[in-house]
């Protein structure tokens, strides 16, 4: 099991219920196959912020930081699903040192 940090920028046009649902969706994917989510930062200090430059004609984004532990296959699967999700503007996943 490896430790990962995943920073994701979701579309700011989502309602609060949709944001909670999409965050829970990816949390459950990370916990699949024995993974463990240590931290999901849905609120401050990240939250809703102005982007440095427009992404897909959007100027604001909802930032969420995940810290989780899982196998490499689960992390790869989550990142690939985020790439095709239209509500995810950007994501970056890093493996942390032990």
């Amino acid at each position: 099991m490896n430790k990962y940090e995943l920073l994701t920028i979701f579309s700011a046009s989502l309602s609060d219920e949709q944001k909670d649902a999409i965050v829970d969706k990816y949390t459950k994917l990370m916990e699949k196959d024995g993974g463990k989510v240590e931290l999901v930062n849905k609120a401050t200090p990240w939250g809703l912020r102005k982007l440095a430059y427009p992404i897909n004609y959007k100027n604001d984004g909802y930032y969420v930081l995940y810290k989780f532990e899982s196998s490499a296959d689960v992390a790869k699967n989550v990142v690939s699903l985020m790439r095709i999700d239209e509500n995810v503007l950007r994501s970056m996943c890093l493996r942390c040192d032990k």
Side-chain angles (χ1 to χ4, degrees), residues 14-78:
L14 298 172
S15 68
D16 289 336
E17 294 82 21
Q18 289 173 324
K19 289 177 190 172
D20 290 338
I22 198 167
V23 168
D24 291 339
K25 170 187 162 185
Y26 287 112
T27 302
K28 289 177 185 173
L29 282 173
M30 291 173 203
E31 291 174 342
K32 189 174 107 175
D33 296 332
K36 181 178 130 186
V37 177
E38 297 171 9
L39 172 72
V40 177
N41 188 359
K42 293 191 279 188
T44 56
W46 294 90
L48 188 64
R49 293 190 166 221
K50 185 163 180 60
L51 300 174
Y53 55 90
I55 301 173
N56 296 338
Y57 305 104
K58 296 182 174 147
N59 294 318
D60 296 321
Y62 185 73
Y63 286 71
V64 177
L65 176 68
Y66 296 95
K67 289 187 180 182
F68 65 101
E69 187 175 335
S70 71
S71 65
D73 293 336
V74 172
K76 188 176 180 180
N77 186 28
V78 169

Side-chain angles (χ1 to χ4, degrees), residues 73-87:
D73 293 336
V74 172
K76 188 176 180 180
N77 186 28
V78 169
V79 170
S80 65
L81 288 174
M82 283 188 170
R83 283 190 184 139
I84 61 173
D85 191 344
E86 63 187 24
N87 294 318

